Amino acid sequence: MGDPEEAEEHGRRLILHNFLSFQECKELEFIHKSNCTVGYRPHVFSTTLSHLIATNSAHLIMPFVPIRERLKEKVEEFFGCQYELFVEFTGLISWSRGSSIGWHSDDNRPYLKQRDFAAVCYLNSYGNDFKGGLFHFQDGDPATIVPSGGDVVIYTADSRNIHSVDEITDGERLTLALWFSRDATYDEDAKLITLLSQNFLHDNAPELCLPLPASSNMYWFSPDQASSDQQLGFDICWARLHVLGYDLLFHQDKSYCSNISELLMEPLRLTRGDELFEHEFINILHALQVVQFYCWKAPDFKSAKVEETTSVVVLSQSQRERFVCLKSLFVKDVRLVDSVFSNVTFVESAQHSFNWVDFTIAIATWEDYVRKLHRELVMSLPHWRTQQSIFNVSLDEK
């Protein structure tokens, strides 16, 4: 993902190699794994820009802005429709073990006919990060796309580009998907600007950037995804923490509580093995964002020469009993969690390299990162409102 961008033109489709940098891919992976909800298909998870806004994480749309601009320019240039297109939808989508999709075009429903072009950006790679998940076109060249982190496939959304995705057999296949339309009534920018104007708090106080979980059913994975039966399945926020070796302990004894939506909002602390990290997180999404940020930035913390005080204590027997009781609410089947989310190589690496000192540095670094994006959003929003378009505002303009 560090090589120069290369393009393959194939008539009605375009392949761009190394379009996204390694760091762009890792940042989008962090955003997705710390914010996603259950998706529109079985074993698929998604993160939309509107969801980020709704969960008090509007600042996390900022990394998407330059990427959306660059992709739109490439699509318009390749298909000869400069200044004609609107971004219709932007979303991070991951495909876990058991997910697949058969032959289809991206405008194959009456409510999708506005889609003219598609762009799929791969954030991780076949073989290294997941198995299965090859992308096939029904006809024409190339017939098969082997996903590689940083690469982009651009194609018309109609029946000229019928395609499928093989079943994922291991790991999690991560993509950034965008669709483009010539119809201004489907302009995603206008809708997002309206949401930002309605929901964005114009204050630089860092606590305003702490995430707020959505309804618990949006995070509940069920073997039968048509059902939100919480007697089966698991909460994906807790599950993503579990596969990385963490458990949760709520600040107060909540063993009597059976309302998962209420518990998602409760202050908590993290545990690993016998150790309790005494830093308090405002809710489960706050803890998950910091943990995923640590996974993204861990190599940077190894070289950081910073003295940090870390408060870690040994779990008491009563505390163990509390989190075991609560875990049974969030995770009905641990084997299902491991089947859906575990990538053995990644999890072993994360387990072996962990230490609480680096993690403490990660908390402060995450807070700085959030404040920086928040400031960028505050300064950009007036320009977006004026133009009714989301674009990368230069520092001079800000």
Side-chain angles (χ1 to χ4, degrees), residues 88-99:
E88 186 257 356
F89 178 84
T90 306
L92 294 168
I93 301 170
S94 65
W95 304 61
S96 67
R97 184 179 298 174
S99 59

Side-chain angles (χ1 to χ4, degrees), residues 155-182:
Y155 52 92
T156 60
D158 57 18
S159 59
R160 292 175 293 173
N161 276 303
I162 293 175
H163 56 279
S164 66
V165 176
D166 289 347
E167 181 176 335
I168 309 299
T169 58
D170 188 36
E172 190 171 8
R173 177 185 185 267
L174 304 174
T175 60
L176 168 66
L178 283 85
W179 283 274
F180 303 88
S181 177
R182 290 187 173 92

Side-chain angles (χ1 to χ4, degrees), residues 3-71:
D3 298 327
E5 180 185 313
E6 299 176 9
E8 293 180 32
E9 297 187 8
H10 300 274
R12 55 184 180 268
R13 60 190 70 138
L14 172 68
I15 318 299
L16 297 173
H17 299 286
N18 307 306
F19 179 80
L20 297 179
S21 70
F22 176 78
Q23 281 303 319
E24 286 175 319
C25 291
K26 298 305 288 184
E27 184 169 22
L28 294 179
E29 178 180 351
F30 148 70
I31 292 171
H32 179 65
K33 288 186 174 181
S34 58
N35 294 279
C36 70
T37 63
V38 292
Y40 60 100
R41 300 182 62 80
H43 296 253
V44 170
F45 304 93
S46 65
T47 305
T48 66
L49 302 190
S50 58
H51 176 73
L52 292 175
I53 296 170
T55 52
N56 209 40
S57 295
H59 53 280
L60 291 178
I61 73 173
M62 297 308 296
F64 293 85
V65 174
I67 297 171
R68 290 167 90 247
E69 277 195 303
R70 285 159 47 204
L71 279 170

